[in-house]
Amino acid sequence: MKNGSFRNFKNGFETVNNGEGSAPPKPKNTGGKIAVLVVLAILIVFLGLNSAYEIKEQEQAVLITLGKAQAVTEPGLHFKIPFIQQVKKVNTTIQGFAIGYNTDDNDINEDESLMITSDFNFIDVDFYVEYRYSDPVKAIFASRDPLEILKNISQSCIRTVIGSYPVDDVLTTGKNEIQASIREMILNRLAQQDIGIQLVNITIQDSEPPTQQVMEAFKAVETAKQGKETALNNANKYRNEQLPSAQAQADGIIKDAEAQKTERVNEATAQVARFNSIYAEYIKNPVITKQRMFYETMEDVLPDLKVIIESPSGNMQMIYPVESFTGNEEDNAGTTAEANTDAENSTAGTDTAAADSPQP
């Protein structure tokens, strides 16, 4: 046995042709291994992609594990078990839909907008409803379509409230009150349904009569009401402008009256004090005080009066103007010489004339 045959026999191979020629080697299955590796790589990538999910700021997610739902509210990257856990996302931003018209082309949808008021008038009213998902778990599992439920509730509440108001209020001044009533009614209905959706706001976009003639008539009425409101606003503005001025004038009159009152009281008090002081002097010497008061009164009543004083025997003694009793220096100076001359001749006569002068 040659060396090659012995080596083959040792390794467990049989020799062919007495070991003179070896059999050709079998080809290796490398293509199958590559395919397996590719499949494994794809499977790993698939599992990696399905095991991670991202939640944005305006989103919330519901993680479902074997039928049990759990809310995931924190934004960012999260992981799940592929094929065992499922994720459903919900947009929590404020969204909206129209009732009575199409938001794409603003065409009227009469099936939604045409309503009847309490005074049996037809009217077209358009609304816009704003909402958001408040509970993602209830929004997904509590109902099949929570948005459709909200639309039906909104239309029902709108028709109920519009039917309780007259057409004038719907067209003009009652819009804010109508919106508030509809909003409160929808919130109560949603609280009863508890479907994980929340009403944010509902507003009246437009309200008008269904026919052109009625529309023109209502527009005329609305114009008249607006003119009335404008006149009332102008009147209130004028009142607000005039009231401060009138109040200021009234305050000025009151203050002037109070000042006059104080002045009159002070004047009366001064007169009383003056009278009391005169009376005190009068008590001390009544005759002299009466004479002085008589001269002062005559001076006030007849300032240009000339007084002639004569003695009891009928002889004229002196001529005195009333001004001399007031203490006027110029008049006193003019009459001093005459008074001194006569005083030297008839001092006793002067005293007698003063005593016999008229008394007040």
Side-chain angles (χ1 to χ4, degrees):
M1 184 179 294
K2 296 184 179 179
N3 293 334
S5 298
F6 178 76
R7 189 164 46 249
N8 292 333
F9 178 77
K10 185 178 179 180
N11 292 331
F13 298 101
E14 295 181 355
T15 60
V16 180
N17 297 329
N18 295 326
E20 294 181 357
S22 61
K26 296 179 180 180
K28 297 180 180 180
N29 191 6
T30 58
K33 294 181 179 180
I34 294 174
V36 172
L37 292 176
V38 171
V39 172
L40 290 175
I42 293 174
L43 182 61
I44 291 172
V45 172
F46 177 78
L47 293 176
L49 293 176
N50 283 273
S51 62
Y53 62 96
E54 183 183 4
I55 299 178
K56 298 180 181 179
E57 290 289 341
Q58 67 274 13
E59 292 180 340
Q60 290 185 2
V62 178
L63 181 63
I64 305 172
T65 305
L66 299 177
K68 183 179 180 180
Q70 179 183 0
V72 181
T73 59
E74 296 181 0
L77 186 64
H78 300 269
F79 296 92
K80 65 182 181 66
I81 303 174
F83 306 109
I84 297 178
Q85 293 180 325
Q86 296 179 355
V87 176
K88 293 184 178 180
K89 297 180 181 180
V90 176
N91 187 358
T92 58
T93 58
I94 297 177
Q95 306 174 66
F97 60 87
I99 296 178
Y101 69 100
N102 297 322
T103 56
D104 297 332
D105 50 8
N106 290 329
D107 288 340
I108 297 176
N109 186 354
E110 292 187 355
D111 294 337
E112 296 179 352
S113 64
L114 187 61
M115 305 178 193
I116 188 170
T117 60
S118 62
D119 51 359
F120 304 105
N121 285 297
F122 288 98
I123 188 172
D124 285 328
V125 188
D126 300 334
F127 288 85
Y128 189 78
V129 181
E130 294 178 304
Y131 68 93
R132 61 182 294 271
Y133 290 103
S134 58
D135 191 335
V137 176
K138 293 180 180 179
I140 294 175
F141 292 99
S143 62
R144 180 176 298 177
D145 191 350
L147 183 58
E148 188 66 23
I149 294 176
L150 176 60
K151 288 182 179 179
N152 294 333
I153 291 176
S154 300
Q155 292 184 19
S156 175
C157 295
I158 287 171
R159 293 184 182 277
T160 301
V161 174
I162 293 295
S164 62
Y165 282 85
V167 67
D168 291 340
D169 292 344
V170 180
L171 289 174
T172 56
T173 59
K175 292 182 179 179
N176 293 331
E177 184 178 352
I178 291 173
Q179 291 176 173
S181 300
I182 294 174
R183 185 175 186 274
E184 183 178 359
M185 187 177 294
I186 294 175
L187 289 176
N188 293 333
R189 295 280 295 275
L190 287 177
Q192 296 175 359
Q193 298 293 332
D194 195 18
I195 55 176
I197 195 169
Q198 178 184 1
L199 177 69
V200 177
N201 194 18
I202 182 170
T203 55
I204 297 177
Q205 299 297 310
D206 192 13
S207 59
E208 58 185 9
T211 61
Q212 186 65 27
Q213 293 180 351
V214 178
M215 186 184 302
E216 292 177 357
F218 276 111
K219 285 183 178 179
V221 173
E222 185 175 359
T223 302
K225 290 184 177 180
Q226 290 178 354
K228 173 185 175 182
E229 292 180 358
T230 302
L232 289 175
N233 293 333
N234 292 333
N236 291 330
K237 178 181 178 182
Y238 179 77
R239 181 188 65 181
N240 295 332
E241 290 176 352
Q242 295 299 320
L243 279 179
S245 177
Q247 187 64 37
Q249 292 179 0
D251 293 340
I253 293 173
I254 292 174
K255 290 181 179 179
D256 291 341
E258 292 177 350
Q260 292 180 6
K261 171 187 174 182
T262 304
E263 183 180 357
R264 293 291 180 86
V265 171
N266 294 334
E267 183 179 356
T269 304
Q271 290 179 358
V272 170
R274 180 173 177 270
F275 177 80
N276 291 333
S277 62
I278 293 174
Y279 182 74
E281 296 297 330
Y282 172 78
I283 294 299
K284 295 178 182 179
N285 196 343
V287 177
I288 297 176
T289 304
K290 287 181 179 180
Q291 292 177 357
R292 182 175 62 82
M293 292 177 64
F294 171 76
Y295 292 133
E296 290 178 354
T297 302
M298 294 302 296
E299 180 182 10
D300 293 335
V301 175
L302 300 171
D304 297 331
L305 179 67
K306 302 300 181 178
V307 179
I308 300 174
I309 301 175
E310 57 182 327
S311 64
S313 60
N315 295 325
M316 184 175 61
Q317 298 297 327
M318 291 185 297
I319 298 176
Y320 283 100
V322 177
E323 287 80 357
S324 61
F325 294 97
T326 62
N328 193 322
E329 295 180 357
E330 294 180 356
D331 295 337
N332 291 338
T335 58
T336 300
E338 183 181 356
N340 291 333
T341 303
D342 294 337
E344 292 176 356
N345 297 327
S346 57
T347 303
T350 302
D351 296 335
T352 303
D356 293 337
S357 60
Q359 300 299 321

